[in-house]
């Protein structure tokens, strides 16, 4: 418990936040890494998942890609990529984390499009909507909750895993932890705990923020339908 108390004291010291290489600098690096990794994953995962879900094909491909990317250890990618022409720094971290963030975005986009009621789609087609209009006006709006849930999962995973960026000189909050280990447990224990607390709080903040966004973008009728489904599932269980 003394290390935890010392970690809180470390966090309450303004100099540990404002000094060069302090928490504010490392937090900014962490957020930049997270932003670019999630953005790249969105550019890759969302269009592919939406396209496959709209066509109603490729379910096996989605499962395969999701499983393969989950099976690749992020630490292994962080070890291999810096040894290529990419080199050390933030870029290999961003690319490795982008690979890690693709599965939830891809899978949720596909499931969201496939979960749209077939009768609703048939009615829209009967009204004369083309394939593109059906996607834009019916399928995408109804799949927004799934897209938002995939984004929330990807962001939280990347925020937590970006701590490993310090292993390849990529910066981030993990640098605070590794620097504490460099001092030894007796001298750096408070810093290690403080860095861990900062990562946990940032992940929880991201979870709460994107959970709120998910709720805001989910239309009220869909929220009620999801609650009813959860209630039936709980009753069945």
């Amino acid at each position: 418990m003394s290390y935890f108390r010392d970690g809180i004291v470390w966090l309450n010291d303004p100099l540990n936040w404002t000094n060069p290489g302090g928490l504010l600098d490392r937090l900014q690096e962490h957020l930049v890494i997270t932003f670019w990794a999630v953005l790249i994953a969105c550019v890759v995962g969302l269009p592919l998942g939406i396209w496959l879900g709209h066509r109603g094909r490729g379910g096996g491909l989605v499962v395969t890609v999701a499983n393969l990317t989950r099976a690749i250890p992020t630490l292994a990618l962080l070890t291999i990529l810096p040894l290529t022409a990419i080199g050390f720094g933030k870029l290999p971290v961003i690319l490795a984390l982008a690979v890690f963030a693709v599965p939830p975005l891809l899978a949720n986009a596909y499931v969201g499009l496939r979960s749209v009621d077939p009768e609703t789609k048939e009615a829209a087609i009967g009204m004369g909507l083309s394939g593109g209009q059906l996607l834009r006006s019916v399928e995408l709006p109804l799949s927004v909750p799934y897209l938002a849930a995939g984004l929330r999962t990807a962001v939280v995973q990347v925020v937590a895993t970006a701590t490993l960026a310090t292993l390849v000189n990529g910066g981030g909050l993990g640098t605070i932890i590794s620097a504490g280990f460099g001092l030894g447990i007796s001298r750096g224990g408070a810093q290690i705990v403080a860095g861990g607390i900062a990562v946990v709080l940032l992940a929880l903040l991201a979870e709460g923020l994107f959970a709120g966004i998910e709720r805001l973008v989910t239309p009220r009728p869909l929220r009620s339908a999801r609650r009813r489904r959860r209630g039936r599932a709980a009753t069945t269980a």
Side-chain angles (χ1 to χ4, degrees):
M1 290 297 293
S2 62
Y3 282 127
F4 182 80
R5 184 175 62 250
D6 293 343
I8 298 297
V9 172
W10 195 94
L11 287 172
N12 284 325
D13 186 346
L15 292 178
N16 291 328
W17 289 81
T18 57
N19 278 341
L23 270 170
L24 288 179
D25 287 345
R26 299 309 180 188
L27 176 61
Q28 181 181 4
E29 292 173 347
H30 207 97
L31 292 176
V32 168
I33 291 169
T34 299
F35 171 79
W36 285 110
V38 174
L39 179 62
I40 292 172
C42 286
V43 170
V44 174
L46 288 181
L48 180 59
I50 289 170
W51 180 69
L52 291 174
H54 173 66
R55 288 175 57 87
R57 301 175 183 175
L61 175 62
V62 171
V63 173
T64 301
V65 171
N67 288 338
L68 281 176
T69 47
R70 286 194 185 102
I72 300 173
T74 306
L75 184 57
L77 281 179
L78 286 174
T79 304
I80 295 171
L81 289 178
L83 301 178
T84 66
I86 296 174
F88 287 80
K90 291 183 176 59
L91 183 56
V93 176
I94 290 171
L95 294 178
L97 293 176
V99 172
F100 184 56
V102 164
L105 292 166
L106 174 64
N108 278 53
Y110 178 82
V111 172
L113 270 291
R114 297 305 300 150
S115 67
V116 177
D117 187 359
E119 293 183 358
T120 302
K121 292 192 287 186
E122 289 175 5
I125 293 172
M127 294 172 61
L129 269 66
S130 65
Q133 291 172 327
L134 175 67
L135 175 62
R136 293 190 300 271
S137 302
V138 178
E139 292 178 319
L140 280 178
L142 291 177
S143 62
V144 161
Y146 291 89
L147 301 177
L151 179 61
R152 181 182 72 175
T153 302
V155 169
V156 174
Q157 287 181 348
V158 170
V159 165
T161 312
T163 311
L164 298 174
T166 185
L167 299 178
V168 291
N169 197 30
L173 291 173
T175 305
I176 301 293
I177 300 173
S178 63
F181 277 111
L183 296 172
I185 295 296
S186 59
R187 292 182 56 198
Q191 183 171 333
I192 295 169
V193 173
I197 292 173
V199 173
V200 170
L201 290 178
L202 183 59
L204 291 175
L205 179 62
E207 170 70 22
L209 175 63
F210 281 88
I213 293 174
E214 180 184 345
R215 178 174 175 81
L216 284 176
V217 299
T218 302
R220 190 178 297 274
L222 292 182
R223 281 188 235 161
S224 302
R226 292 176 74 180
R227 282 197 296 268
R228 286 195 297 270
R229 286 197 297 269
R230 290 190 190 122
R232 286 197 297 268
T235 303
T236 304

